[in-house]
Amino acid sequence: YFATYPNLYFTGDGALEDADGNFRITGRVDDVLNVSGHRLGTAEIENAINMHAGVVESAVVGFPHDVKGQGIYAFVIYGQMHQNDPDLTRKDILQTVTRVIGPIAKPDKIQFVSGLPKTRSGKIMRRILRKIAEGATDQLGDTTTLLDPGVVDEIKNGRL
């Protein structure tokens, strides 16, 4: 933990500093996807998605992709759809990610959800999202300890 930066402790979390000197924790820097040979941080992609005006929160996971190796699957909590047109909203989010990072980081799939599976302490359970993205919904494990277990069924069934 002291090797990354001399005489400083490195937690493994990334952060951005704004013009006022405030820090925004973006997430783990070691959580990466290998998309067509490019190593992309999930926190970096989530940050780009969250820059879209209507996005409340997002979570990004990888899933097996025949061509790219790993595809990008985004679960997005969105405040207000474009007059109930999810495809237009998806296009807007993809344009935002392209502008902020580049076209290689555009999610292959965007699923709009009302909530994300979180522990009682607020940590997103990415292993559950990964299994859903991979289509292995029968292998989710115990979800009863989540803050709101009903969110998992909703995401799994794609009811939003």
Side-chain angles (χ1 to χ4, degrees), residues 113-142:
V113 296
S114 65
L116 297 169
K118 294 183 179 183
T119 63
R120 288 183 179 17
S121 64
K123 178 183 173 191
I124 297 172
M125 294 298 295
R126 293 178 186 281
R127 71 169 174 81
I128 293 173
L129 295 176
R130 243 180 250 113
K131 291 291 183 186
I132 292 171
E134 293 169 358
T137 56
D138 58 331
Q139 302 172 10
L140 298 180
D142 183 22

Side-chain angles (χ1 to χ4, degrees), residues 79-136:
Q80 188 72 23
M81 296 286 181
H82 279 294
Q83 299 171 0
N84 298 326
D85 188 356
D87 290 333
L88 185 57
T89 305
R90 280 184 182 87
K91 287 179 186 176
D92 284 351
I93 291 171
L94 293 175
Q95 287 176 347
T96 302
V97 172
T98 300
R99 181 177 42 80
V100 174
I101 301 174
I104 193 71
K106 290 191 305 190
D108 298 291
K109 297 179 182 178
I110 297 175
Q111 182 177 346
F112 294 107
V113 296
S114 65
L116 297 169
K118 294 183 179 183
T119 63
R120 288 183 179 17
S121 64
K123 178 183 173 191
I124 297 172
M125 294 298 295
R126 293 178 186 281
R127 71 169 174 81
I128 293 173
L129 295 176
R130 243 180 250 113
K131 291 291 183 186
I132 292 171
E134 293 169 358

Side-chain angles (χ1 to χ4, degrees), residues 5-147:
Y5 299 103
N7 299 321
L8 295 173
Y9 180 81
F10 181 58
T11 62
D13 293 319
L16 297 172
E17 184 178 10
D18 66 13
D20 297 329
N22 297 317
F23 289 94
R24 177 178 174 198
I25 306 297
T26 56
R28 300 292 300 167
V29 296
D30 57 354
D31 190 9
V32 295
L33 305 174
N34 192 349
V35 180
S36 297
H38 298 273
R39 289 175 49 89
L40 301 169
T42 57
E44 179 183 20
I45 299 168
E46 289 167 3
N47 186 54
I49 291 170
N50 294 345
M51 287 179 147
H52 187 279
V55 173
V56 176
E57 187 177 16
S58 66
V60 170
V61 295
F63 69 97
H65 192 281
D66 292 338
V67 177
K68 298 179 180 181
Q70 268 190 309
I72 302 171
Y73 199 118
F75 296 89
V76 177
I77 300 173
Y78 197 84
Q80 188 72 23
M81 296 286 181
H82 279 294
Q83 299 171 0
N84 298 326
D85 188 356
D87 290 333
L88 185 57
T89 305
R90 280 184 182 87
K91 287 179 186 176
D92 284 351
I93 291 171
L94 293 175
Q95 287 176 347
T96 302
V97 172
T98 300
R99 181 177 42 80
V100 174
I101 301 174
I104 193 71
K106 290 191 305 190
D108 298 291
K109 297 179 182 178
I110 297 175
Q111 182 177 346
F112 294 107
V113 296
S114 65
L116 297 169
K118 294 183 179 183
T119 63
R120 288 183 179 17
S121 64
K123 178 183 173 191
I124 297 172
M125 294 298 295
R126 293 178 186 281
R127 71 169 174 81
I128 293 173
L129 295 176
R130 243 180 250 113
K131 291 291 183 186
I132 292 171
E134 293 169 358
T137 56
D138 58 331
Q139 302 172 10
L140 298 180
D142 183 22
T143 59
T144 59
T145 60
L146 296 174
L147 185 63

